[in-house]
């Protein structure tokens, strides 16, 4: 029975470490293929979006989950060098429809030989969409959804699953240990 308890404990540790290993790397420290802030069009055409709110957290950068409303700096990196040779524009709308929803920021299409597009906008609480478009044949179009000061229930649930499973496994382990014959005999000898 003790052997089973040890095996259950080892299994619990392996599961907990597996759940947390994916969350260790923060934004900016992951491979380009795994970065949620990268959008790909075709095989090579990549852009990367970063958002900053230095008035709250000077060193933090965000992508689709903006923690607070207020002034937000948006930086688009044109990773694909071919994008630097075509006019690229950026539109931020409140909502999800580029033509029907309110435009809060518009950077008209222009050339960006350094591969960086910078802009500033003021975002209230809610859902926004960033549209990055390029005037080429075929047209280039990237899209990012921004959630400003909103709770992401799916992310909250995913972050709670690991600790919950670990707690359940540790509870099962404790129960199995308490039900083992050796522990039962030891407990009864202490009460005698």
């Amino acid at each position: 029975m003790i052997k089973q308890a040890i095996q259950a404990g080892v299994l619990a540790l392996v599961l907990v470490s597996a759940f947390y290993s994916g969350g260790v790397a923060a934004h900016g420290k992951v491979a380009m293929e795994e970065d949620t802030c990268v959008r790909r069009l075709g095989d090579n055409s990549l852009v990367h979006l970063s958002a900053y709110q230095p008035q709250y957290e000077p060193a933090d950068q965000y992508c689709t989950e903006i923690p607070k409303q207020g002034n937000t700096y948006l930086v688009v990196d044109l990773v694909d060098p071919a994008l630097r040779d075509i006019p690229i524009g950026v539109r931020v709308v409140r909502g999800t429809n580029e033509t029907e929803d309110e435009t809060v920021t518009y950077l008209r299409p222009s050339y960006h030989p350094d591969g960086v597009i910078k802009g500033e906008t003021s975002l209230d609480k809610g859902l926004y969409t960033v549209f990055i478009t390029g005037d080429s044949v075929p047209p280039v179009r990237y899209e990012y959804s921004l959630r400003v000061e909103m709770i992401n229930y799916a992310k909250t649930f995913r972050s709670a699953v690991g600790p919950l499973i670990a707690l359940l496994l540790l509870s099962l382990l404790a129960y199995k240990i308490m039900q083992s014959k050796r522990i039962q005999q030891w407990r009864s000898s202490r009460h005698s």
Side-chain angles (χ1 to χ4, degrees):
M1 189 55 104
I2 296 295
K3 184 179 177 183
Q4 290 175 339
I6 292 171
Q7 289 173 341
V10 169
L11 178 63
L13 288 174
V14 167
L15 285 173
V16 168
S17 64
F19 277 111
Y20 281 109
S21 65
V24 171
H27 173 81
K29 298 189 187 326
V30 296
M32 193 68 78
E33 295 80 24
E34 299 170 5
D35 193 339
T36 59
C37 297
V38 170
R39 295 295 184 267
R40 178 184 300 271
L41 189 66
D43 290 337
N44 299 323
S45 187
L46 299 172
V47 297
H48 183 274
L49 174 71
S50 297
Y52 301 91
Q53 292 184 318
Q55 69 274 26
Y56 302 119
E57 294 293 334
D60 288 353
Q61 68 178 12
Y62 311 102
C63 179
T64 57
E65 300 291 327
I66 312 297
K68 298 185 181 191
Q69 59 185 335
N71 289 340
T72 305
Y73 296 92
L74 300 175
V75 177
V76 177
D77 293 308
L78 304 173
V79 179
D80 178 11
L83 294 174
R84 301 170 188 189
D85 297 329
I86 62 172
I88 302 285
V90 177
R91 181 182 305 270
V92 180
V93 299
R94 183 175 183 90
T96 58
N97 190 308
E98 186 175 11
T99 56
E100 295 177 13
D101 288 332
E102 172 193 3
T103 297
V104 294
T105 300
Y106 178 66
L107 302 172
R108 63 181 180 77
S110 63
Y111 293 94
H112 303 278
D114 62 351
V116 178
I117 304 170
K118 300 175 192 171
E120 181 181 357
T121 188
S122 181
L123 302 174
D124 295 326
K125 182 178 180 179
L127 182 65
Y128 294 83
T129 306
V130 177
F131 296 97
I132 302 165
T133 54
D135 296 334
S136 66
V137 178
V140 177
R141 179 182 168 89
Y142 304 91
E143 195 173 308
Y144 289 89
S145 294
L146 301 181
R147 297 169 49 89
V148 179
E149 204 173 311
M150 296 174 70
I151 296 172
N152 185 342
Y153 292 104
K155 185 176 180 182
T156 303
F157 175 76
R158 281 192 305 270
S159 66
V161 166
L164 182 59
I165 288 174
L167 179 65
L168 290 173
L169 288 174
L170 289 175
S171 298
L172 177 64
L173 174 65
Y175 175 76
K176 291 286 190 179
I177 289 173
M178 294 306 287
Q179 297 301 314
S180 73
K181 289 183 180 179
R182 281 189 180 172
I183 298 296
Q184 293 286 340
Q185 290 171 353
W186 177 75
R187 289 176 69 197
S188 65
S189 70
R190 287 194 71 205
H191 292 295
S192 303

